[in-house]
């Protein structure tokens, strides 16, 4: 069974930065394909960043140039560096594999204040 635990969220002002972590454990030996999702209040969950086995990185248009997804396989951890945060980035953030294979857990809340 794969376990994913998100951390690093919190309260930050507009223009600030946060780094989210997603610690993987269980049957994962090496992370190849992982995504970051978020769900804003009253909205559906959306994909914001992904990284593939070919080290390809993709981002939603709303976060391009501000967010960066990365993996540290030595620590079995997925990261999302978030810079120049905006109020519309306020959401609960989740890590997962494509298609949400590992379930959603509790996520980690990010609140960006004016």
């Amino acid at each position: 069974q794969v376990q994913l635990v998100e951390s690093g969220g919190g309260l930050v002002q507009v223009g600030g930065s946060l780094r989210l972590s997603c610690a993987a454990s269980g049957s994962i030996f090496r992370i190849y394909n992982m995504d970051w999702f978020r769900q804003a209040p009253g909205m559906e969950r959306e994909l914001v960043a992904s990284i593939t086995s070919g080290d390809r990185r993709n981002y939603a248009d709303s976060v391009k140039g501000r967010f960066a997804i990365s993996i540290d396989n030595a620590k079995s951890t997925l990261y999302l560096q978030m810079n120049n945060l905006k109020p519309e980035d306020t959401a609960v953030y989740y890590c997962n594999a494509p298609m949400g294979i590992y379930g959603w857990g509790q996520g980690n809340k990010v609140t960006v204040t004016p």
Side-chain angles (χ1 to χ4, degrees):
Q1 184 177 4
V2 174
Q3 302 169 19
L4 301 173
V5 180
E6 302 97 339
S7 63
L11 185 67
V12 64
Q13 291 186 342
V14 170
S17 298
L18 287 172
R19 188 178 73 166
L20 302 183
S21 298
C22 172
S25 62
S27 62
I28 294 179
F29 174 74
R30 186 174 179 87
I31 302 172
Y32 289 101
N33 303 288
M34 295 294 292
D35 297 338
W36 282 101
F37 299 81
R38 69 184 182 188
Q39 186 168 23
M43 301 183 68
E44 296 184 353
R45 184 181 294 111
E46 64 174 338
L47 176 66
V48 298
S50 63
I51 185 167
T52 73
S53 60
D55 292 325
R56 296 180 178 88
R57 294 164 170 83
N58 296 106
Y59 302 93
D61 288 341
S62 59
V63 306
K64 285 182 179 178
R66 300 189 298 116
F67 289 13
I69 187 172
S70 62
I71 291 174
D72 185 343
N73 275 294
K75 298 180 179 179
S76 297
T77 301
L78 177 75
Y79 299 99
L80 184 66
Q81 178 66 46
M82 305 185 295
N83 300 318
N84 192 24
L85 285 161
K86 303 177 180 180
E88 51 263 44
D89 295 320
T90 295
V92 177
Y93 285 74
Y94 304 85
C95 61
N96 216 317
M99 307 297 291
I101 292 174
Y102 300 134
W104 296 110
Q106 297 181 4
N108 201 249
K109 183 179 293 185
V110 172
T111 302
V112 184
T113 64

